[in-house]
Amino acid sequence: MKVLLTGANGQLGQDMVLLLEKEGHDVLACDREQLDITDQLQCNDVISTYHPEVVIHCAAYTAVDAAETDVDGAYLVNATGTRNIAVAAERIGAKLIYISTDYVFDGTSDAPYQEYDNTNPQSVYGKSKRAGELLVQSLSSRWFIVRTSWVYGVYGNNFVKTMLKLGQEKPKLQVVNDQKGSPTYTVDLAYFLHDLMSTEKYGLYHASNSGACTWYEFTQAIFEEAQLLSGFHIQAEVYPCGTEQFPRPAPRPRNSVLEHLSIRTNGFNDLRPWREGLRDFLKEIHIEQN
């Protein structure tokens, strides 16, 4: 298939491009230099010229805290940019996959969030991503919206890499234990998107690695798995703490766990347990370091 991908230099984008090329697809990987998604004319030109069958829209404004004061910047990319991509894709009849986030929910539910639960974003980032969802739904006729959470991968900065670094440098760490979610390895998410794009099973999907943990439990798992691999010398003791001990400009959802209702009801294979994904990620960066 001919696939155009935005945000090709991001964590998910890079793994997505590698998988698509490995599977023999014709890929146009666009970063900001090849495609400014905030430029409607350029979006129309690039997408109509390449004429992909599928557009995977990974590009996003993801600086959650910065968005609280850069409201226009967040909406320019996540809403206006997404509109531009949706309009251009619709003009040529391409399928559109839009990557969204757990931040569209307020995080107050005790249960995992299903795809059709009411959204109630609390941060500018979450509101701007929700605006992107609404624009995709109203402007595209062949859309998939895929919400994910706690994403990490080999390419780029993320929580796992930060904890590994701190764990090898600091004697003790405090990590939040009252926010829970599902860590998601970009490789596993990429495989799901690859399965999804060849179908016409349009709609909303929640895709994260299976199971859930708090940030504190995630850190414990990172250190436990890393210590099984030579090359990681974890010295830090980890202690749980509350969200209020680390105040941030943007509110974080206390519960980010996503229920995979659409994956089950549409007959897709669910993503594997989060700890298995973590194990493979650590092996991958361990190989890179040695």
Side-chain angles (χ1 to χ4, degrees):
M1 296 177 81
K2 287 187 78 172
V3 183
L4 183 144
L5 186 125
T6 70
N9 279 348
Q11 286 194 106
L12 175 59
Q14 292 193 60
D15 275 324
M16 195 74 234
V17 170
L18 288 172
L19 176 60
L20 290 167
E21 289 177 343
K22 188 181 88 171
E23 295 294 329
H25 298 285
D26 186 347
V27 185
L28 181 61
C30 299
D31 62 16
R32 253 176 259 179
E33 290 178 9
Q34 284 94 30
L35 179 58
D36 176 2
I37 65 168
T38 67
D39 183 333
Q40 188 165 40
L41 291 175
Q42 192 183 12
C43 289
N44 287 337
D45 183 47
V46 171
I47 290 175
S48 63
T49 300
Y50 183 63
H51 216 281
E53 295 158 83
V54 182
V55 175
I56 302 177
H57 183 34
C58 298
Y61 185 112
T62 57
V64 175
D65 289 322
E68 291 298 305
T69 49
D70 184 18
V71 178
D72 288 10
Y75 276 89
L76 177 63
V77 174
N78 293 342
T80 305
T82 299
R83 177 206 64 197
N84 294 343
I85 295 294
V87 168
E90 183 68 9
R91 283 178 66 180
I92 61 160
K95 298 176 184 178
L96 175 60
I97 299 177
Y98 172 62
I99 310 302
S100 193
T101 173
D102 55 297
Y103 277 74
V104 300
F105 298 109
D106 59 21
T108 59
S109 173
D110 293 328
Y113 284 96
Q114 293 183 349
E115 285 84 349
Y116 303 103
D117 285 342
N118 291 331
T119 55
N120 186 27
Q122 299 298 296
S123 63
V124 171
Y125 167 69
K127 290 172 183 175
S128 68
K129 289 295 288 182
R130 177 61 182 150
E133 289 187 359
L134 294 169
L135 287 160
V136 166
Q137 289 171 310
S138 59
L139 296 170
S140 175
S141 57
R142 307 176 77 198
W143 57 266
F144 306 91
I145 291 171
V146 180
R147 296 179 184 139
T148 190
S149 62
W150 293 22
V151 174
Y152 64 93
V154 171
Y155 307 103
N157 298 314
N158 55 61
F159 181 81
V160 184
K161 287 185 180 179
T162 299
M163 288 299 111
L164 283 173
K165 184 173 184 293
L166 293 175
Q168 295 176 93
E169 293 174 354
K170 304 284 186 184
K172 68 177 190 177
L173 292 172
Q174 285 187 305
V175 184
V176 171
N177 197 35
D178 56 3
Q179 296 172 25
K180 62 180 178 178
S182 301
T184 305
Y185 181 26
T186 47
V187 170
D188 294 335
L189 181 56
Y191 272 102
F192 171 69
L193 298 176
H194 180 263
D195 289 347
L196 191 65
M197 75 179 198
S198 63
T199 75
E200 294 192 346
K201 296 179 178 181
Y202 304 117
L204 269 169
Y205 288 85
H206 285 173
S208 53
N209 281 110
S210 304
C213 58
T214 66
W215 290 112
Y216 167 70
E217 291 164 341
F218 190 24
T219 304
Q220 285 183 307
I222 293 165
F223 290 173
E224 286 167 13
E225 296 293 344
Q227 284 170 323
L228 298 175
L229 298 166
S230 60
F232 293 115
H233 303 291
I234 306 296
Q235 63 171 6
E237 292 286 328
V238 192
Y239 300 93
C241 69
T243 298
E244 66 282 351
Q245 288 176 255
F246 289 97
R248 306 288 286 275
R252 266 60 176 172
R254 293 296 179 108
N255 178 19
S256 284
V257 184
L258 301 174
E259 176 71 71
H260 300 175
L261 180 69
S262 292
I263 285 180
R264 293 196 303 273
T265 56
N266 284 286
F268 289 106
N269 292 323
D270 206 349
L271 282 72
R272 61 183 167 165
W274 65 264
R275 192 145 180 164
E276 291 179 23
L278 172 64
R279 202 170 292 144
D280 276 3
F281 167 77
L282 290 172
K283 286 177 186 169
E284 187 70 28
I285 61 170
H286 180 250
I287 291 166
E288 284 200 347
Q289 288 179 358
N290 293 285

